Amino acid sequence: MAVCVAVIAKENYPLYIRSIPTENELKFHYMVHTSLDVVDEKISAMGKALVDQRELYLGLLYPTEDYKVYGYVTNSKVKFVMVVDSSNTALRDNEIRSMFRKLHNSYTDVMCNPFYNPGDRIQSRAFDSMVTSMMIQVC
Amino acid sequence: MEGLTLSDAEQKYYSDLFSYCDIESTKKVAANGRVLELFRAAQLPNDVVLQIMELCGATRLGYFGRSQFYIALKLVAVAQSGFPLRVESINTVKDLPLPRFVASKNEQESRHAASYSSDSENQGSYSGVIPPPPGRGQVKKGSVSHDTVQPRTSADQQEPASPVVSPQQSPPTSPHTWRKHSRHPSGGNSERPLAGPGPFWSPFGEAQSGSSAGDTVWSGHSPPPPQETWVSFADTPPTSTLLTMHPASVQDQTTVRTVASATTANEIRRQSSSYDDPWKITDEQRQYYVNQFKTIQPDLNGFIPGSAAKEFFTKSKLPILELSHIWELSDFDKDGALTLDEFCAAFHLVVARKNGYDLPEKLPESLMPKLIDLEDSADVGDQPGEVGYSGSPAEAPPSKSPSMPSLNQTWPELNQSSEQWETFSERSSSSQTLTQFDSNIAPADPDTAIVHPVPIRMTPSKIHMQEMELKRTGSDHTNPTSPLLVKPSDLSEESKINSSVKFASGNTVADGYSSSDSFTSDPEQIGNNVTHQRSHSGTSPDNTAPPPPPPRPQPSHSRSSSLDMNRTFAVTTGQQQAGVVAHPPAVPPRPQPSQAPGPVVHRPVDADGLITHTSTSPQQIPEQPNFADFSQFEVFAASNVNEEQDDEAEKHPEVLPVEKASDPASSLRVAKTDSKIEEKTAASVPANVSKGTTPLAPPPKPVRRRLKSEDELRPEVDEHTQKTGVLAAVLASQPSIPRSVGKDKKAIQASIRRNKETNTVLARLNSELQQQLKDVLEERISLEVQLEQLRPFSHL
């Protein structure tokens, strides 16, 4: 379902970015990069309230002609950005939320690994396989 | 030393051995321990070994370089062949068989050596080959096992620090023998350097296993069992051993059974178990893992934290990425800590990886925490069954490998997903619980509770007013009531339109009784704005204003259906009216009671009540005359009622108010009333006065009684009702007029005058009330402003 999945660290550098290789990956990288601004905007808008009250799922960040970009941010300011195909109309908000939940779970599993240094690129195979399961459905 | 020329086979063989001995991967030096072990495995007398070592120059150097090692190996072969050990024999001896090492690991090499040395010889002696190895293997099993055990232990002692290495020393050895047998025929192990003897081994393998299962077994065993691997870190044989084992085991087991030895049985079991699952952990391995676990965590049921595990496994010198992957596989419950089972699985994977096996994508079943125990228990199963089973599992592994990953995928995924789901939900719920932990912002102030009499009054104004009214009716001069009494007295003090002054006095009064409330009510009020916990402030926010509370209660009181305040208002209004109207026509209220006994009586009732109350309060002394006046007026009104003459009433207010402030003595009024009464008697018009005057003396008391009674009876009095009463009285007076037919014109004129006067009175009353309203509104606005000013502070 997802065309591109990216995990961005607190300092706004990518920890993991993966997209369907059929398309020009650079385009997705650019979209993810521009979506960071929208994410920051959404965070700051809700920032006055306590962090706990802020919802993790940010929802649709911005739609383009072909794609829609969804965002999700954790309490540690790690962002997940997902680009989905606009033609996939059957994709509902709940499904996007569940996908982000899975991403979050896998990310925490990666963090639990003592051999993973926070800030490193995510090279976990389990994480890869999970992302693949999310993306395979598109292909 | 002479130059050493080696044949290709020898070269390969020696390089294998060297890499086997080169545990530290230096590529230059063979570990002394290994070399010694190797030499011991060569089953040469010690002195020969020493001689070899001396010859090769290792003793001089103190270590085994590659050349020394090769020389030594050559010498071993020489010695084994029976040739005397001489330096020159290295190159002189031709067709020297490769050195044979009886050590478990090296049996493979010995097989190799045998294969290298003479293919034809081996081929010819197929049958001879088969039995000897197992035979030799079996015969030497005890010795081999002992030997291997010894070097193992020595190796263990030598390398206690590297846990990865030590386990390699302890594994079962015998299986390697016939594993190596069949391994070569597999041919599938192209990567193995021992591919040379492949062709030889293939017939051997074919001969060994009639079933094609062996081939499939071999091909299927791409993930070789780590059991062999942890025998040696060298990458050469281990992988092949297991593959070779399968076809070999089928026949070997038969041969083994013939031997009938416990060790063989054990090894067979191990073999079979290894067939079941390449990733199986043997007992020895497991025991070793458990021991290692204990070094980190004495409690076998406890956890090893992630950091400790990280340090431990980093010692294995595997790349971090692979360690990370191993961790992912082995931490089954994803808790960042390793239980005993998880630790064994991780250790097993580390050993496997160290020996060159690729890490699986999914955790093998045998390594799963729950299944390891089952597998171990299955080892003690029926040998034949297992043997027979081993054949099928030999086939199964290749199919199992795809199925296993799938199985591993589904089941752990389900588990993990559910766990993850739960953890996530827990996370989210926990975060929610954290977020929902809103502390009660406004603490309930007990003072603001209904403890204090003053606050009580503030809270439910209506109820409190009613309480106070009840108290008043009982002529109880409690604190709450007295101020109120003071209030009306204050109010009554005001002569005319000084409603603001009245409010001021009321304010002071209210301050008097609400001062205690001010501080409590203030935060309450603010608190109410934030959290609706203050009912009273919620109900009457205006009332809880600290500085100008007094005006609030008044409106609230007025709003409330309280008798007293209404009465006071009535009185005040009446008094005001009396005061106001006194100057002009203060009579109208009076004639009203005279005209309309019902509504009118209320006034006197109120007045009387007020009088009675005020008489008791010290502050109301100056008011008494007013009240007294009023009562007299009321009495007069009552008398007027009796006499039904309104004209006097008009004059009364005129007269009385004038003297109100001046003469507190009622005598004057009495006199006036008397005069009025006299006038009344004289004339119908002035007779009104007399109406009020005549009953002065006697009537006051009965009137008072009446008033009192009516005071008690009457529940509410409204200014409006008063007004209406006035109007009604005025209106009612009119119909009474026509009684005197002769006085129609006069009566009409009088009524007209009365009406005008009432109009003016009412107009004045209206203006006064309007002004009161304005003042109240202004105070309300000021209070609201204060509230707003105070609000931001509450948020801090």
Side-chain angles (χ1 to χ4, degrees):
Chain A
M1 291 183 235
V3 174
C4 169
V5 172
V7 177
I8 292 124
K10 181 177 179 180
E11 292 81 10
N12 287 339
Y13 63 85
L15 294 174
Y16 179 89
I17 181 161
R18 181 150 154 232
S19 49
I20 295 179
T22 56
E23 294 242 19
N24 183 11
E25 296 192 12
L26 194 61
K27 178 177 71 174
F28 293 127
H29 290 210
Y30 178 69
M31 286 173 79
V32 169
H33 189 264
T34 54
S35 68
L36 290 178
D37 273 336
V38 185
V39 171
D40 280 340
E41 193 185 316
K42 286 200 184 260
I43 292 176
S44 64
M46 295 185 280
K48 281 187 183 176
L50 296 173
V51 174
D52 289 336
Q53 297 174 2
R54 176 165 57 80
E55 201 185 302
L56 304 179
Y57 176 68
L58 299 177
L60 182 69
L61 296 179
Y62 67 88
T64 61
E65 190 180 336
D66 297 325
Y67 302 102
K68 290 187 246 185
V69 182
Y70 291 90
Y72 181 98
V73 63
T74 67
N75 284 330
S76 57
K77 297 285 194 297
V78 172
K79 296 130 190 145
F80 300 111
V81 175
M82 190 185 326
V83 181
V84 300
D85 205 330
S86 288
S87 60
N88 196 348
T89 54
L91 209 58
R92 290 181 326 207
D93 194 55
N94 279 342
E95 293 171 17
I96 304 281
R97 281 179 194 263
S98 71
M99 285 160 75
F100 273 126
R101 209 172 293 129
K102 281 200 289 185
L103 265 174
H104 198 169
N105 285 339
S106 299
Y107 176 74
T108 50
D109 290 338
V110 168
M111 295 299 281
C112 282
N113 191 334
F115 298 102
Y116 172 76
N117 298 318
D120 292 348
R121 289 190 57 245
I122 295 177
Q123 288 157 323
S124 151
R125 295 186 219 176
F127 193 82
D128 273 342
S129 61
M130 192 277 308
V131 171
T132 310
S133 71
M134 276 171 42
M135 291 174 56
I136 270 183
Q137 302 161 25
V138 180
C139 299
Chain B
M1 299 296 295
E2 309 179 41
L4 183 66
T5 57
L6 298 170
S7 65
D8 286 348
E10 285 179 348
Q11 185 72 28
K12 284 180 194 170
Y13 186 48
Y14 290 174
S15 66
D16 289 341
L17 285 173
F18 187 79
S19 55
Y20 164 68
C21 290
D22 187 14
I23 49 175
E24 303 206 303
S25 305
T26 59
K27 303 273 196 283
K28 287 183 184 174
V29 176
N32 285 346
R34 284 287 175 82
V35 173
L36 287 172
E37 180 188 320
L38 204 64
F39 291 162
R40 260 184 244 111
Q43 295 182 325
L44 295 171
N46 278 347
D47 54 350
V48 173
V49 171
L50 286 169
Q51 194 176 3
I52 289 169
M53 283 169 61
E54 191 178 355
L55 281 174
C56 74
T59 48
R60 265 188 296 116
L61 293 174
Y63 63 91
F64 275 101
R66 193 175 274 272
S67 57
Q68 281 79 38
F69 188 75
Y70 288 176
I71 290 165
L73 288 174
K74 189 84 176 183
L75 287 172
V76 166
V78 166
Q80 282 177 345
S81 305
F83 295 109
L85 281 177
R86 281 194 203 103
V87 177
E88 54 274 17
S89 62
I90 294 171
N91 289 328
T92 53
V93 177
K94 304 216 172 157
D95 292 334
L96 189 67
L98 290 174
R100 283 185 290 266
F101 298 94
V102 183
S104 60
K105 316 143 201 197
N106 298 323
E107 282 184 356
Q108 185 177 5
E109 274 67 37
S110 66
R111 297 290 141 255
H112 277 279
S115 66
Y116 285 139
S117 56
S118 55
D119 293 351
S120 60
E121 182 182 311
N122 285 335
Q123 282 177 354
S125 61
Y126 165 76
S127 58
V129 170
I130 299 174
R136 195 173 82 180
Q138 289 175 12
V139 164
K140 289 175 184 168
K141 247 183 221 170
S143 59
V144 165
S145 56
H146 293 316
D147 288 343
T148 52
V149 166
Q150 287 167 9
R152 260 178 255 148
T153 53
S154 66
D156 284 343
Q157 292 162 6
Q158 285 170 9
E159 303 162 7
S162 73
V164 189
V165 176
S166 46
Q168 301 172 356
Q169 310 296 335
S170 56
T173 61
S174 56
H176 295 283
T177 60
W178 37 79
R179 275 184 227 134
K180 292 159 196 171
H181 273 296
S182 52
R183 176 193 157 268
H184 292 297
S186 67
N189 294 323
S190 56
E191 74 254 19
R192 300 302 163 200
L194 305 171
F200 160 72
W201 289 111
S202 52
F204 175 69
E206 288 165 3
Q208 275 193 337
S209 61
S211 65
S212 59
D215 287 331
T216 59
V217 169
W218 305 325
S219 59
H221 266 289
S222 50
Q227 298 177 1
E228 290 72 24
T229 63
W230 63 301
V231 171
S232 67
F233 259 142
D235 52 356
T236 50
T239 57
S240 57
T241 55
L242 183 64
L243 290 175
T244 63
M245 210 168 83
H246 285 263
S249 66
V250 176
Q251 302 193 2
D252 288 340
Q253 283 156 6
T254 56
T255 56
V256 165
R257 271 182 229 125
T258 59
V259 177
S261 67
T263 54
T264 60
N266 281 336
E267 297 183 358
I268 290 166
R269 216 177 302 130
R270 289 204 199 95
Q271 292 173 29
S272 56
S273 61
S274 64
Y275 298 141
D276 292 342
D277 190 346
W279 292 105
K280 185 123 176 15
I281 300 178
T282 65
D283 294 337
E284 294 180 25
Q285 289 174 327
R286 187 164 178 80
Q287 190 54 46
Y288 186 79
Y289 298 158
V290 171
N291 293 335
Q292 288 296 314
F293 184 90
K294 280 182 191 166
T295 60
I296 306 176
Q297 166 69 273
D299 178 19
L300 287 181
N301 291 326
F303 291 90
I304 289 182
S307 52
K310 177 178 180 176
E311 290 172 21
F312 184 81
F313 287 115
T314 311
K315 289 187 215 166
S316 69
K317 298 176 189 170
L318 281 180
I320 296 289
L321 184 60
E322 297 189 9
L323 288 171
S324 169
H325 188 236
I326 287 171
W327 176 278
E328 277 183 3
L329 291 175
S330 57
D331 188 5
F332 198 66
D333 47 7
K334 303 286 182 212
D335 58 355
L338 295 180
T339 63
L340 181 60
D341 289 339
E342 290 174 347
F343 177 83
C344 293
F347 212 141
H348 208 64
L349 288 168
V350 166
V351 168
R353 189 74 190 110
K354 265 287 186 181
N355 291 321
Y357 298 147
D358 291 329
L359 292 175
E361 285 300 318
K362 295 288 175 178
L363 192 66
E365 267 188 11
S366 64
L367 293 180
M368 282 192 188
K370 298 176 189 177
L371 297 179
I372 282 179
D373 294 334
L374 295 172
E375 288 285 358
D376 287 341
S377 61
D379 283 350
V380 196
D382 195 13
Q383 290 179 20
E386 280 184 325
V387 168
Y389 182 65
S390 63
S392 50
E395 301 178 23
S399 59
K400 205 177 178 184
S401 47
S403 65
M404 263 171 43
S406 63
L407 190 79
N408 296 340
Q409 270 176 357
T410 56
W411 185 59
E413 239 183 65
L414 290 171
N415 269 359
Q416 290 164 11
S417 63
S418 64
E419 288 170 356
Q420 289 164 3
W421 199 263
E422 289 168 4
T423 54
F424 189 86
S425 63
E426 283 171 4
R427 258 179 254 130
S428 59
S429 63
S430 65
S431 67
Q432 284 170 2
T433 53
L434 285 172
T435 60
Q436 288 167 359
F437 183 67
D438 286 337
S439 58
N440 290 331
I441 298 172
D445 194 346
D447 290 340
T448 61
I450 313 174
V451 177
H452 250 270
V454 176
I456 290 171
R457 190 164 20 128
M458 294 304 289
T459 50
S461 56
K462 287 188 182 180
I463 299 169
H464 215 79
M465 287 312 303
Q466 287 173 358
E467 290 175 358
M468 293 191 302
E469 287 165 10
L470 289 172
K471 290 174 185 173
R472 273 192 198 163
T473 56
S475 71
D476 292 336
H477 303 290
T478 59
N479 294 333
T481 57
S482 55
L484 279 176
L485 295 174
V486 173
K487 251 202 292 181
S489 64
D490 290 338
L491 292 170
S492 60
E493 279 179 351
E494 302 307 324
S495 58
K496 287 193 181 182
I497 315 170
N498 219 348
S499 57
S500 59
V501 177
K502 175 176 72 178
F503 275 116
S505 61
N507 288 345
T508 57
V509 171
D511 276 331
Y513 75 79
S514 67
S515 59
S516 61
D517 278 20
S518 62
F519 302 105
T520 56
S521 61
D522 218 4
E524 289 173 19
Q525 198 170 5
I526 295 165
N528 270 342
N529 295 328
V530 181
T531 63
H532 31 269
Q533 288 181 2
R534 306 281 176 268
S535 59
H536 58 272
S537 53
T539 54
S540 59
D542 294 336
N543 285 340
T544 59
R552 295 294 166 269
Q554 288 176 10
S556 65
H557 294 310
S558 62
R559 276 185 238 126
S560 65
S561 60
S562 59
L563 278 172
D564 293 339
M565 286 315 298
N566 289 331
R567 280 181 205 164
T568 58
F569 261 113
V571 172
T572 57
T573 51
Q575 289 172 357
Q576 278 181 353
Q577 287 175 358
V580 173
V581 177
H583 308 291
V587 179
R590 262 161 267 124
Q592 295 163 18
S594 63
Q595 298 293 333
V600 170
V601 173
H602 295 309
R603 285 270 189 73
V605 168
D606 289 343
D608 231 19
L610 279 170
I611 291 163
T612 54
H613 287 294
T614 51
S615 61
T616 56
S617 66
Q619 299 176 8
Q620 295 153 1
I621 294 171
E623 317 304 332
Q624 283 173 0
N626 294 335
F627 289 114
D629 294 341
F630 202 83
S631 63
Q632 291 179 358
F633 283 119
E634 297 299 338
V635 169
F636 177 71
S639 63
N640 285 344
V641 171
N642 298 332
E643 297 180 2
E644 297 180 354
Q645 289 186 1
D646 300 335
D647 297 338
E648 297 157 0
E650 295 176 6
K651 292 180 185 175
H652 257 288
E654 290 173 357
V655 177
L656 291 171
V658 170
E659 299 178 357
K660 216 184 192 180
S662 58
D663 257 343
S666 58
S667 58
L668 280 170
R669 281 158 200 114
V670 172
K672 287 169 188 172
T673 53
D674 288 341
S675 63
K676 288 173 184 174
I677 290 168
E678 290 171 358
E679 291 172 8
K680 258 188 178 178
T681 54
S684 63
V685 175
N688 288 334
V689 178
S690 64
K691 285 179 188 174
T693 52
T694 45
L696 267 179
K701 290 179 185 177
V703 170
R704 276 176 194 166
R705 285 170 201 163
R706 269 184 245 158
L707 291 172
K708 282 180 188 175
S709 60
E710 284 163 1
D711 192 347
E712 294 169 355
L713 291 173
R714 189 178 154 181
E716 296 181 0
V717 175
D718 242 351
E719 297 178 3
H720 297 286
T721 59
Q722 294 168 8
K723 289 180 188 173
T724 53
V726 169
L727 288 169
V730 170
L731 291 170
S733 66
Q734 293 179 358
S736 62
I737 294 172
R739 287 182 188 174
S740 55
V741 179
K743 302 170 185 176
D744 280 349
K745 285 188 182 177
K746 288 184 183 176
I748 291 166
Q749 288 171 2
S751 64
I752 290 168
R753 245 182 297 150
R754 246 179 283 121
N755 288 336
K756 286 181 185 175
E757 285 166 3
T758 50
N759 283 342
T760 52
V761 167
L762 288 171
R764 283 220 179 132
L765 186 62
N766 190 20
S767 62
E768 287 173 14
L769 289 171
Q770 293 270 344
Q771 203 153 6
Q772 285 183 22
L773 179 65
K774 284 179 191 173
D775 294 333
V776 168
L777 287 173
E778 283 172 7
E779 289 180 24
R780 180 187 169 183
I781 290 167
S782 67
L783 280 174
E784 283 176 359
V785 166
Q786 284 177 7
L787 251 181
E788 300 243 349
Q789 287 171 0
L790 289 167
R791 247 177 223 166
F793 299 133
S794 68
H795 274 284
L796 290 176

